Amino acid sequence: MARVVVDVMLKPEILDPQGQAVQRALPRLGFDGISDVRQGKRFELEVDGPVDEAALTRIHELAESFLANTVIEDFTVKVEEVTEAAK
Amino acid sequence: MARVVVDVMLKPEILDPQGQAVQRALPRLGFDGISDVRQGKRFELEVDGPVDEAALTRIHELAESFLANTVIEDFTVKVEEVTEAAK
Amino acid sequence: MTARIGVVTFPGSLDDRDTQRAIRIAGAEPVALWHKDKDLKQVDAVVLCGGFSYGDYLRAGAIARFSPVMEPLIEQAKAGLPVLGICNGFQILTEAHLLPGAMLGNDHLHFICRDQKLRVESANTAFTSDFVAGQEIHIPLKNMDGRYVADARTLDMLEAEGRVVFRYLDFNPNGSLRDIAGITNEAGNVVGLMPHPEHAVEPLIGTGRTDGLPFFTSILKKLVNA
Amino acid sequence: MSRTPLDTVEHAAATPDVALPWAELGLKKDEYERIVEILGRRPTGAELAMYSVMWSEHCSYKSSKVHLRQFGEKAPQSDALLVGIGENAGVVDVGQGYAVTFKVESHNHPSYVEPYQGAATGVGGIVRDIIAMGARPVAVVDPLRFGAPDHPDTKRVLPGVVAGIGGYGNCLGLPNIGGEVVFDACYQGNPLVNAGCVGVMRHEDIHLAKASGAGNKVILYGARTGGDGIGGASILASETFDDAKPSKRPAVQVGDPFQEKLLIECTLEAFAEKLVVGIQDLGAAGLSCATSELASNGSGGMTVVLDDVPLRDSTLSPEEILMSESQERMCAVVEPGKVDRFLQICEKWDVIATVIGEVTDGDRLEIFWHGEKIVDVDPRTVAHEGPTYERPYARPSWQDALQADDAGKLPRPETAKELKEQVLQLVASPNQASKKWITSQYDHFVQGNTVLAQPEDSGMIRIDEKTGLGVAIATDGNGRYAKLDPYKGAQLALAEAYRNVATTGAKPLAVSDCLNFGSPEDPAVMWQFAEAVRGLADACQQLGTPVTGGNVSLYNQTGEAAIHPTPVVAVLGVIDDVARRTPVGFQEDGQLLYLLGDTREEFGGSAWSQVVHDHLGGLPPEVDLERERLLAEILISASRDGMIDSAHDLSDGGLIQAVVESALLGDKGARLVVPDGLDAFTFLFSESAGRAIVAVPRSEEVRFNDMCGARGLPATRIGVVDGDSVDVQGEFALSLQELREAHEGTIPALLA
Ligand SMILES: Nc1ncnc2c1ncn2[C@@H]1O[C@H](COP(=O)(O)OP(=O)(O)O)[C@@H](O)[C@H]1O
Ligand SMILES: [Mg+2]
């Protein structure tokens, strides 16, 4: 079993009020030095069987037709390493 | 300028209605072979200045205290490569 | 003879009964359609009502759009069947690409419920012929994802073709581009809007206004006179 | 991952000396010994799990029970009461064959830990109580208390709670028609999130939580069972009982309102086809509660096969499954011949449903796991025969000094200018300010039957389209009054809710309550609790409105500091025709304003004393329940006979607060004259109970005055609806615009 991650972010030209709300809160939390925040969605898909070219193509289709609305969102598909990235 | 990504996911033992809704819809879309879907949030932070140990520590704190509610969510902090991952 | 107007119930639909009531009050016959139905029971028009179909968990309307009932609906809407999408129904129509653009979360990030003032920009659709263009009306609005967006070219096209049907007045409750509250397709048979006309059909209920009734009388007249 | 050997009933009987972690599960030594005595052996781990959750304060009411009995003992004779205390919720006859069920519950602590999910699942829980009675839920209300408005944590808790209540209730399609928002530093670490729900059914549809009829099937349906809210039980799941590893089981539950919406629809469909013999929602204590209550309320026993419970997490132990508090689950008892149809309906709604057990003709609740019996108990001992405490209580030593600190001695405004400034200060203060920023996040219109919603005095829902029959509900509670005198404070809460219902034209019928207090182990808190219950029971008796159910939330305290005693009271009323309802907002210029009731110099616990002097002391306003009843009768008659066009009850903030609210809501000003015998300050700010203002069309003035005169209710003409300012003649005038900015600006500025 393998994990495929689909990240979906609003297109850059679309207003992202959630990201902005986070950014606006930063100074209050004593944070500076962050010039922009965007908030999007992350989908973790557990795939049965091998994640080969065919599987990725299908997941790409899934992302395009369903997980993202490409009128407003961009997406990326990645196969996740088994070991988690550093915390 | 560099980009740091904070991924926030519900802890595995916590119910994820959103992920489940997606998963339940897959067969209807003609998709099978995906045994689990979890949906979380992805924050892209544009950091001014160098992303050194100190900056990462601060972002880690930010994630812990603000971006995630660690009662129900886990998070990871990653420095993003400048080139986007393959679509 | 009266018109038979279908109201689709998806899992998570909330305003199906209210919409049926509004259709009845207008004098037409409501017909319950179920999301798993594979045909539309020969109705003369369809309303996709408000609610949180499938919890709106992925994006508002995104999962409902793939329901079995949507297949005949999309096909027949393209062939001219009058379809009104209210709130979640509007969201489903954009997800199904029967209407251009997309709906996003309100710019203030909160659910909002209010008595909303609107201007009817077009009386040339199946659901607005009982209004006059320019008329100002009040309709309850309640949504989480009511921000209408589309690229500038699409917006310009909508404006140029007179396809912006409703605009928010005095206050834009969700950050919709160009204050757009509702639009129609090229043929004028598919209309979507965020506010809820079915909650403004009885004098005592809700905000106490009946500005929503003409939506249902418009379509009734059109169908009966057809 | 089951323990070896499985702790079966047989094994427990054979190993009397195994030490069980009863203390870690919150049981006292004598409670554990009682369990051993009941069973005649040590409990199995699974039995211990069940007893420990069911005998907890939350489920067993062990500290409060001795006091709550008064609600039954003193219950007034009421023909309206169809189902009284003890069921999931009480049921009231509202005429024309309709019955209404309603209840208020707390979800305080979870909402502090995770505001959004805590509040959301609070709504989910109360709604399931209402469905379990056989009713379609038609409205929710949400009485809330938060810490100081400017405290940083309030900014975390409040928006999350409000979004959670809205997120869940809106998604279920339940109009939110009322509630409260009160700020006070005493709630800082202990916000109160109470949620109420109203449901409607036909008389014949009333369902009870009981399992009768040997051979009937027990069906669990709804969400899969996960490891939610079972912190304690995981100790039992550890390899050996002494090796209590820290667990990763979540203490916070996540709500799935979509699943709950499906649960509502499929349950109602099953009811409509008369498929259900008994039904119980799964709330606190999950399956332990549902199975033991269903079995003990029925005539027989029950067997349950725990392996058949659909799981979200396959590693759960049987103890954990029994204790899990996963949301959006229900348990139905169905005759064997109807099981297929029941399952079909669930499938139609995509709801998972599984037969997990059967009603037997014995009197034991037996639960099996991997073919072995792990529970064998008399269900009554689990569900109904938990411990009862007579906790010591004593009037606190500080009570006298608090009451002696008379608010009447506080400096009062000396000039008209000061008076005016204090009026503005009052209407802009967080507690008196408009709550629109909050309530506009709730859907008021869904279901298309909302006649009145906030900020009206009570919410009102039409329940019959043809006749216009409707019900009204209001919730109130004033912790400041209750702190000064818990007996009277509770009565004042009832009086206010009762008055709010009557003000809209509905006849008050019945009461639910949510009693929020500090630790019962503190005799001072226990005294507050005892006094509040006594006060509420006495007042309900006198007003003829029985308590039909409610909820107790104790341990709302941080260290030594308890919250103000906060009894929240919900009153349900009925109106024959909603067309006759009376709104708060002024309707028409020229209508005459009347003040009903007597105004005395009563400032103890008042909003004025808090806002202007940050003071809490003295005595709360006097309670005169006969006067409340008379006032209510007049308001109801006047509304029915069309003698008044708007009305507003007077409560915190006094007359000026009420006038400003009516003016802003109707967008019409008022000219007021201070009546003879009153000074302007007392007229405007006193919080004497038993009062309301009404706007009387000139054509009705004589008739209205005659009615009040004949029945002995003081009615004083105090002015007229007019213009676009609130003008207290000879004192000051404030434009509606200035008032609106003050009243509506505060909460957004604090929270947005
Ligand atoms: N949390 C809330 N949810 C829904 N309605 C609320 C809430 N808080 C306040 N309200 C409504 O706002 C109005 C004013 O509240 P309040 O001043 O407490 O009323 P009253 O003093 O008449 O009891 C009422 O209609 C009440 O139901
Ligand atoms: Mg009131």
Side-chain angles (χ1 to χ4, degrees):
Chain A
M1 230 177 55
R3 173 179 295 173
V4 176
V5 174
V6 179
D7 286 323
V8 176
M9 301 297 293
L10 284 172
K11 291 184 192 257
E13 66 270 23
I14 303 244
L15 177 71
D16 172 18
Q18 290 188 312
Q20 289 195 347
V22 171
Q23 198 191 343
R24 270 199 309 271
L26 295 180
R28 238 192 303 131
L29 299 170
F31 256 83
D32 40 26
I34 293 183
S35 61
D36 191 26
V37 180
R38 310 270 302 166
Q39 178 175 338
K41 296 177 201 163
R42 173 185 169 88
F43 297 89
E44 296 182 353
L45 314 179
E46 306 299 333
V47 182
D48 304 332
V51 183
D52 49 19
E53 201 53 34
L56 277 177
T57 308
R58 303 208 58 217
I59 290 176
H60 191 93
E61 274 165 34
L62 177 70
E64 181 149 31
S65 62
F66 185 56
L67 298 179
N69 178 347
T70 52
V71 175
I72 45 173
E73 293 166 327
D74 291 328
F75 65 91
T76 58
V77 176
K78 293 186 213 129
V79 183
E80 181 102 317
E81 305 302 312
V82 182
T83 53
E84 283 287 77
K87 274 231 298 188
Chain B
M1 229 178 52
R3 173 180 294 172
V4 177
V5 174
V6 180
D7 285 323
V8 177
M9 301 296 293
L10 284 169
K11 292 183 193 251
E13 65 272 22
I14 299 257
L15 176 71
D16 173 14
Q18 312 209 30
Q20 287 196 354
V22 170
Q23 195 193 343
R24 273 199 302 265
L26 295 181
R28 251 189 297 132
L29 299 173
F31 253 84
D32 39 26
I34 293 183
S35 62
D36 192 25
V37 179
R38 309 271 301 168
Q39 178 176 339
K41 297 177 202 160
R42 172 183 170 91
F43 296 92
E44 295 183 352
L45 315 178
E46 306 301 331
V47 182
D48 305 332
V51 183
D52 50 17
E53 199 55 34
L56 277 178
T57 308
R58 304 206 58 217
I59 290 176
H60 190 93
E61 274 166 35
L62 175 71
E64 180 148 30
S65 61
F66 186 62
L67 298 180
N69 178 351
T70 53
V71 176
I72 52 172
E73 293 166 326
D74 291 330
F75 64 91
T76 57
V77 176
K78 291 186 214 132
V79 184
E80 181 102 317
E81 306 302 313
V82 183
T83 54
E84 283 283 82
K87 271 235 297 188
Chain C
M1 192 218 94
T2 183
R4 299 172 72 246
I5 303 182
V7 178
V8 179
T9 300
F10 297 97
S13 288
L14 301 180
D15 302 320
D16 42 350
R17 271 179 288 263
D18 310 8
T19 305
Q20 290 172 18
R21 182 198 291 124
I23 289 169
R24 213 177 299 120
I25 289 174
E29 180 193 339
V31 176
L33 297 175
W34 180 241
H35 69 116
K36 289 179 189 166
D37 286 348
K38 295 203 168 68
D39 72 290
L40 300 181
K41 300 187 182 166
Q42 283 155 358
V43 292
D44 305 307
V46 173
V47 183
L48 296 180
C49 65
F52 291 80
S53 55
Y54 296 93
D56 275 358
Y57 281 148
L58 174 58
R59 281 180 316 278
I63 301 180
R65 174 252 173 283
F66 289 101
S67 290
V69 76
M70 288 301 290
E71 260 178 58
L73 187 135
I74 290 172
E75 190 186 303
Q76 293 180 41
K78 285 180 177 160
L81 179 77
V83 177
L84 175 64
I86 302 170
C87 194
N88 200 227
F90 185 15
Q91 293 156 345
I92 295 170
L93 291 176
T94 59
E95 284 284 340
H97 304 302
L98 284 172
L99 292 174
M103 309 302 306
L104 277 168
N106 298 339
D107 59 353
H108 46 78
L109 303 176
H110 300 293
F111 187 93
I112 185 165
C113 173
R114 71 192 304 269
D115 193 13
Q116 177 69 44
K117 193 170 174 186
L118 303 174
R119 185 168 53 233
V120 182
E121 300 282 15
S122 165
N124 298 332
T125 78
F127 297 92
T128 54
S129 55
D130 267 1
F131 293 108
V132 291
Q135 192 174 338
E136 296 182 357
I137 59 175
H138 282 84
I139 303 279
L141 170 111
K142 8 167 272 196
N143 63 64
M144 187 74 215
D145 299 294
R147 176 163 53 116
Y148 181 75
V149 296
D151 58 36
R153 220 170 42 113
T154 307
L155 293 171
D156 289 342
M157 172 193 73
L158 290 173
E159 305 264 14
E161 296 177 3
R163 289 167 54 192
V164 173
V165 186
F166 304 97
R167 233 185 273 272
Y168 298 116
L169 282 189
D170 296 351
F171 176 76
N172 182 332
N174 42 34
S176 284
L177 295 179
R178 305 200 192 172
D179 299 332
I180 289 174
I183 56 173
T184 185
N185 64 347
E186 229 176 314
N189 64 312
V190 178
V191 174
L193 83 165
M194 285 316 291
H196 288 259
E198 82 284 10
H199 287 146
V201 293
E202 294 181 273
L204 266 176
I205 300 299
T207 59
R209 301 180 207 257
T210 55
D211 292 2
L213 209 47
F215 284 79
F216 303 98
T217 54
S218 297
I219 182 67
L220 177 63
K221 278 185 203 156
K222 179 184 161 72
L223 293 171
V224 170
N225 296 337
Chain D
M1 271 218 337
S2 68
R3 232 178 298 100
T4 41
L6 183 64
D7 196 22
T8 61
V9 170
E10 203 181 324
H11 179 250
T15 54
D17 297 331
V18 170
L20 294 183
W22 46 266
E24 289 84 340
L25 291 169
L27 288 167
K28 297 272 166 13
K29 185 158 198 298
D30 54 329
E31 292 172 344
Y32 180 67
E33 283 164 359
R34 182 78 219 294
I35 296 169
V36 174
E37 188 190 317
I38 289 172
L39 295 173
R41 57 171 164 79
R42 77 158 173 91
T44 64
E47 287 166 343
L48 185 65
M50 294 185 76
Y51 278 105
S52 70
V53 281
M54 290 301 289
W55 286 16
S56 68
E57 185 67 59
H58 184 74
C59 294
S60 75
Y61 292 85
K62 56 191 169 191
S63 302
S64 53
K65 220 170 356 190
V66 293
H67 300 284
L68 297 179
R69 281 190 192 125
Q70 293 171 71
F71 291 142
E73 290 158 7
K74 295 180 184 169
Q77 178 51 38
S78 166
D79 299 338
L81 198 61
L82 298 175
V83 176
I85 290 191
E87 277 294 335
N88 281 313
V91 181
V92 183
D93 178 13
V94 294
Q96 302 180 15
Y98 286 101
V100 169
T101 178
F102 73 118
K103 190 179 178 189
V104 186
E105 264 192 3
S106 66
H107 226 214
N108 301 339
H109 185 65
S111 303
Y112 178 66
V113 178
E114 216 304 309
Y116 185 98
Q117 296 297 346
T121 51
V123 175
I126 188 67
V127 168
R128 285 194 298 282
D129 269 330
I130 296 303
I131 333 174
M133 297 308 297
R136 172 176 285 281
V138 295
V140 292
V141 296
D142 62 329
L144 309 175
R145 304 289 183 282
F146 300 103
D150 51 1
H151 191 288
D153 201 45
T154 302
K155 260 193 136 104
R156 171 186 72 97
V157 176
L158 187 151
V161 164
V162 169
I165 289 170
Y168 206 99
N170 296 340
C171 191
L172 287 189
L174 295 179
N176 183 311
I177 59 169
E180 300 164 77
V181 180
V182 176
F183 300 94
D184 194 298
C186 76
Y187 303 110
Q188 202 61 62
N190 297 277
L192 303 184
V193 176
N194 295 177
C197 184
V198 185
V200 176
M201 66 197 123
R202 304 292 300 174
H203 283 194
E204 60 271 22
D205 290 335
I206 297 174
H207 279 74
L208 301 179
K210 61 177 181 192
S212 294
N216 286 346
K217 302 295 182 190
V218 180
I219 301 178
L220 176 67
Y221 64 111
R224 289 173 184 277
T225 299
D228 308 78
I230 51 172
S234 20
I235 304 171
L236 284 165
S238 55
E239 294 289 309
T240 70
F241 295 138
D242 346 82
D243 150 42
K245 288 185 285 202
S247 145
K248 282 191 63 184
R249 305 301 186 203
V252 175
Q253 301 124 44
V254 169
D256 180 352
F258 172 58
Q259 176 70 244
E260 179 117 331
K261 167 71 178 163
L262 302 184
L263 215 48
I264 295 176
E265 296 303 333
C266 88
T267 304
L268 291 175
E269 210 167 304
F271 284 152
E273 294 189 22
K274 311 248 178 279
L275 301 179
V276 178
V277 178
I279 187 155
Q280 173 72 297
D281 60 294
L282 276 74
L287 269 175
S288 295
C289 180
T291 54
S292 65
E293 289 200 344
L294 278 170
S296 63
N297 297 341
S299 51
M302 186 186 283
T303 57
V304 171
V305 178
L306 223 44
D307 310 71
D308 293 339
V309 172
L311 299 181
R312 196 172 84 226
D313 172 353
S314 59
T315 68
L316 292 181
S317 71
E319 293 87 352
E320 292 174 316
I321 296 170
L322 282 169
M323 281 175 110
S324 162
E325 295 188 353
S326 287
Q327 301 290 298
E328 292 97 19
R329 296 179 299 161
M330 306 270 295
C331 218
V333 178
V334 178
E335 287 172 20
K338 296 180 171 170
V339 166
D340 283 348
R341 180 61 193 140
F342 186 93
L343 297 179
Q344 254 172 23
I345 291 175
C346 289
E347 197 185 324
K348 168 182 167 189
W349 288 100
D350 297 325
V351 168
I352 298 172
T354 317
V355 175
I356 61 161
E358 189 170 308
V359 178
T360 63
D361 50 15
D363 55 4
R364 307 292 287 179
L365 169 60
E366 298 170 300
I367 299 181
F368 295 86
W369 177 253
H370 295 356
E372 309 238 36
K373 195 191 290 182
I374 55 167
V375 171
D376 182 356
V377 295
D378 173 349
R380 273 147 288 261
T381 64
V382 180
H384 298 312
E385 289 162 21
T388 303
Y389 290 149
E390 301 264 0
R391 296 216 186 256
Y393 57 90
R395 190 171 195 269
S397 52
W398 42 259
Q399 197 76 34
D400 284 338
L402 183 68
Q403 294 188 343
D405 181 14
D406 180 8
K409 296 195 192 119
L410 297 168
R412 302 181 181 187
E414 286 176 355
T415 62
K417 179 161 169 284
E418 253 184 277
L419 192 64
K420 172 175 166 176
E421 281 164 6
Q422 293 188 2
V423 166
L424 266 183
Q425 207 182 333
L426 180 86
V427 300
S429 65
N431 282 340
Q432 323 310 318
S434 165
K435 304 302 184 309
K436 203 195 264 176
W437 186 87
I438 290 165
T439 59
S440 69
Q441 297 184 46
Y442 304 146
D443 188 342
H444 312 150
F445 302 118
V446 63
Q447 294 196 5
N449 285 310
T450 305
V451 180
L452 297 174
Q454 56 275 60
E456 297 287 348
D457 276 334
S458 63
M460 188 180 286
I461 295 286
R462 175 179 67 180
I463 62 177
D464 188 291
E465 276 179 52
K466 289 202 192 69
T467 64
L469 181 69
V471 293
I473 186 169
T475 71
D476 283 293
N478 187 318
R480 284 166 55 83
Y481 290 169
K483 173 93 177 207
L484 298 179
D485 182 338
Y487 180 87
K488 280 192 190 158
Q491 298 200 324
L492 285 163
L494 170 65
E496 190 183 341
Y498 180 93
R499 200 186 314 134
N500 274 321
V501 164
T503 307
T504 56
K507 178 180 181 325
L509 284 184
V511 168
S512 177
D513 62 61
C514 192
L515 305 173
N516 306 276
F517 288 77
S519 166
E521 292 162 35
D522 176 350
V525 170
M526 210 49 221
W527 174 80
Q528 293 173 328
F529 182 79
E531 283 294 283
V533 171
R534 191 171 66 88
L536 182 57
D538 286 348
C540 283
Q541 187 170 35
Q542 209 179 334
L543 286 176
T545 48
V547 175
T548 62
N551 179 242
V552 176
S553 171
L554 300 175
Y555 296 99
N556 294 289
Q557 77 179 57
T558 310
E560 293 292 289
I563 60 165
H564 289 340
T566 312
V568 170
V569 179
V571 169
L572 181 95
V574 63
I575 183 165
D576 294 335
D577 182 0
V578 294
R580 307 255 56 124
R581 91 276 178 271
T582 311
V584 161
F586 293 148
Q587 301 294 306
E588 212 175 293
D589 276 348
Q591 296 194 337
L592 304 166
L593 290 175
Y594 273 83
L595 168 61
L596 308 182
D598 288 311
T599 304
R600 291 174 293 267
E601 291 200 32
E602 294 184 293
F603 301 103
S606 67
W608 173 79
S609 69
Q610 182 180 33
V611 171
V612 176
H613 297 287
D614 192 16
H615 176 271
L616 177 57
L619 293 173
E622 277 308 316
V623 184
D624 178 347
L625 296 168
E626 285 315 313
R627 169 57 62 80
E628 296 288 355
R629 188 206 297 275
L630 176 61
L631 175 68
E633 284 170 10
I634 297 270
L635 288 166
I636 296 164
S637 304
S639 118
R640 192 182 43 230
D641 297 343
M643 286 184 248
I644 55 179
D645 273 6
S646 71
H648 199 359
D649 93 298
L650 268 50
S651 56
D652 42 342
L655 178 127
I656 190 61
Q657 175 73 21
V659 168
V660 168
E661 287 173 359
S662 290
L664 292 179
L665 209 56
D667 204 19
K668 297 202 162 30
R671 260 183 295 128
L672 302 178
V673 181
V674 181
D676 289 345
L678 280 181
D679 62 284
F681 168 74
T682 305
F683 173 61
L684 297 178
F685 289 110
S686 161
E687 293 189 4
S688 293
R691 298 185 304 158
I693 50 165
V694 294
V696 183
R698 285 179 190 268
S699 58
E700 300 297 328
E701 185 177 18
V702 174
R703 200 154 70 109
F704 181 76
N705 262 316
D706 286 352
M707 175 175 68
C708 294
R711 300 174 79 165
L713 180 72
T716 314
R717 187 161 146 179
I718 55 162
V720 61
V721 176
D722 186 38
D724 50 15
S725 65
V726 172
D727 183 350
V728 184
Q729 300 218 315
E731 300 289 342
F732 63 85
L734 282 161
S735 73
L736 289 188
Q737 192 189 339
E738 197 175 354
L739 286 166
R740 194 179 298 283
E741 277 162 19
H743 188 57
E744 294 179 0
T746 305
I747 302 290
L750 282 166
L751 298 169

